[in-house]
Amino acid sequence: MAISVAVLVGDAKKIIPMLIEKSSKVKVGAGDEPDVEVAPLSYRDLYNRVLNYIESVPKEGGTILLDGRNFKHPKYPNGNFIAPTIVEVNENMTAYKDEIFGPVLCVIYVDTLDEAIKLINRNHWGNGTAIFTKSGAAARKF
């Protein structure tokens, strides 16, 4: 299951540098290469669509924290490769509203668990969710 939005509650935003560091080390390559974690997008129109979503973020007031648009595979320089990308968005931005279907993680910040739950429940896609917490009470509430 692709989880394309991370809702970071309170001081959880402090994980962003670690998330960027680990994401920048993910192996991108052809799907038949050993240890590849991110393969190319399956067709050129999808590749262009994902690029458009990434490019929409700064135009709509967001920030690109990790930019995977310029990845070039040495054996396949014209391939549909996009490396992991992390963007800061809000719920009014195109990249948040639509499902991207590419290696892009949208990050949204909220102050409380209640705000996070309301944000998630407002999303019209109704996709699956997960919580990562040290708090049993927060997990039960979620």
Side-chain angles (χ1 to χ4, degrees):
M1 182 169 153
I3 298 178
S4 58
V5 179
V7 180
L8 301 180
V9 179
D11 68 349
K13 64 178 78 175
K14 67 185 178 189
I15 72 161
I16 291 293
M18 179 270 306
L19 189 60
I20 291 169
E21 177 189 348
K22 290 191 180 289
S23 297
S24 67
K25 294 177 181 175
V26 167
K27 184 171 181 183
V28 180
D32 61 348
E33 294 175 344
D35 303 320
V36 165
E37 298 169 276
V38 175
L41 295 167
S42 55
Y43 54 96
R44 198 61 171 188
D45 286 346
L46 178 58
Y47 171 82
N48 289 327
R49 181 182 142 176
V50 172
L51 290 179
N52 287 333
Y53 280 120
I54 297 168
E55 290 163 4
S56 76
V57 170
K59 291 176 185 174
E60 295 179 8
T63 304
I64 300 173
L65 300 174
L66 178 62
D67 192 345
R69 291 177 290 177
N70 295 319
F71 178 85
K72 295 291 180 203
H73 192 285
K75 288 200 284 189
Y76 310 105
N78 296 318
N80 299 328
F81 294 96
I82 298 177
T85 299
I86 302 172
V87 295
E88 289 178 334
V89 299
N90 66 50
E91 66 181 302
N92 298 312
M93 294 181 178
T94 306
Y96 173 79
K97 290 179 185 179
D98 294 349
E99 292 185 295
I100 297 176
F101 295 107
V104 180
L105 177 66
C106 294
V107 178
I108 294 181
Y109 307 110
V110 296
D111 292 325
T112 67
L113 178 59
D114 287 335
E115 288 178 70
I117 292 169
K118 288 177 185 173
L119 173 78
I120 292 164
N121 287 333
R122 281 194 303 268
N123 187 292
H124 71 277
W125 292 113
N127 289 333
T129 61
I131 185 170
F132 299 90
T133 181
K134 292 179 182 177
S135 167
R140 284 186 295 280
K141 182 175 184 171
F142 183 77

